[in-house]
Amino acid sequence: MNNTLGLISAFLGGAIVGAGAALLFAPEKGSELRTRIADILRKKGIICSDSDVDALVDKLTKDLQAEVCD
Protein backbone atom coordinates (compact mmCIF):
# COMPACT_ATOMS: atom_id res chain seq x y z
CA MET A 1 0.00 0.00 0.00
CA ASN A 2 2.77 2.43 0.96
CA ASN A 3 4.66 1.59 -2.24
CA THR A 4 1.55 2.35 -4.29
CA LEU A 5 1.13 5.72 -2.58
CA GLY A 6 4.76 6.56 -3.33
CA LEU A 7 4.31 5.58 -6.96
CA ILE A 8 1.20 7.74 -7.28
CA SER A 9 2.97 10.67 -5.62
CA ALA A 10 5.93 10.34 -7.99
CA PHE A 11 3.59 10.22 -10.99
CA LEU A 12 1.66 13.30 -9.86
CA GLY A 13 4.87 15.18 -9.13
CA GLY A 14 6.20 14.35 -12.58
CA ALA A 15 2.93 15.40 -14.18
CA ILE A 16 3.03 18.76 -12.40
CA VAL A 17 6.65 19.39 -13.40
CA GLY A 18 5.86 18.33 -16.97
CA ALA A 19 2.86 20.63 -17.17
CA GLY A 20 4.94 23.47 -15.79
CA ALA A 21 7.65 22.80 -18.35
CA ALA A 22 5.12 22.77 -21.16
CA LEU A 23 3.74 26.10 -20.02
CA LEU A 24 7.14 27.68 -19.47
CA PHE A 25 8.52 26.60 -22.83
CA ALA A 26 5.40 27.52 -24.77
CA PRO A 27 5.98 30.22 -27.40
CA GLU A 28 4.22 32.99 -25.50
CA LYS A 29 5.41 36.17 -23.89
CA GLY A 30 5.95 35.89 -20.15
CA SER A 31 3.16 38.30 -19.25
CA GLU A 32 0.66 36.43 -21.44
CA LEU A 33 1.74 33.11 -19.94
CA ARG A 34 1.37 34.38 -16.39
CA THR A 35 -2.11 35.69 -17.20
CA ARG A 36 -3.00 32.31 -18.71
CA ILE A 37 -1.72 30.45 -15.62
CA ALA A 38 -3.71 32.75 -13.33
CA ASP A 39 -6.87 32.21 -15.42
CA ILE A 40 -6.46 28.42 -15.30
CA LEU A 41 -5.94 28.49 -11.52
CA ARG A 42 -8.98 30.74 -11.01
CA LYS A 43 -11.14 28.40 -13.12
CA LYS A 44 -10.04 25.58 -10.80
CA GLY A 45 -11.14 27.65 -7.80
CA ILE A 46 -7.64 28.68 -6.72
CA ILE A 47 -7.56 32.40 -6.05
CA CYS A 48 -4.10 33.88 -6.48
CA SER A 49 -2.56 37.28 -6.99
CA ASP A 50 -0.11 38.25 -9.70
CA SER A 51 2.74 37.95 -7.20
CA ASP A 52 1.57 34.41 -6.32
CA VAL A 53 1.70 33.44 -10.01
CA ASP A 54 5.15 35.02 -10.35
CA ALA A 55 6.36 33.01 -7.34
CA LEU A 56 4.89 29.82 -8.82
CA VAL A 57 6.58 30.41 -12.18
CA ASP A 58 9.90 31.15 -10.46
CA LYS A 59 9.63 27.95 -8.39
CA LEU A 60 8.76 25.85 -11.44
CA THR A 61 11.65 27.39 -13.36
CA LYS A 62 14.12 26.59 -10.56
CA ASP A 63 12.75 23.03 -10.22
CA LEU A 64 13.06 22.47 -13.96
CA GLN A 65 16.59 23.82 -14.06
CA ALA A 66 17.54 21.53 -11.18
CA GLU A 67 16.00 18.54 -13.02
CA VAL A 68 17.87 19.37 -16.22
CA CYS A 69 21.19 19.82 -14.41
CA ASP A 70 20.90 16.51 -12.53
Side-chain angles (χ1 to χ4, degrees):
M1 174 88 169
N2 198 15
N3 189 25
T4 303
L5 185 59
L7 186 62
I8 291 171
S9 297
F11 175 77
L12 289 176
I16 290 170
V17 170
L23 288 173
L24 292 174
F25 291 112
E28 291 184 55
K29 293 188 335 187
S31 59
E32 292 173 359
L33 178 60
R34 283 171 167 74
T35 301
R36 192 168 135 212
I37 291 170
D39 290 342
I40 291 169
L41 291 174
R42 287 184 185 114
K43 286 179 185 176
K44 299 288 184 183
I46 301 170
I47 306 301
C48 55
S49 67
D50 290 340
S51 61
D52 292 335
V53 174
D54 290 341
L56 175 63
V57 170
D58 290 340
K59 170 114 175 68
L60 288 172
T61 301
K62 288 177 186 174
D63 290 349
L64 287 172
Q65 289 174 347
E67 289 289 323
V68 170
C69 292
D70 286 343

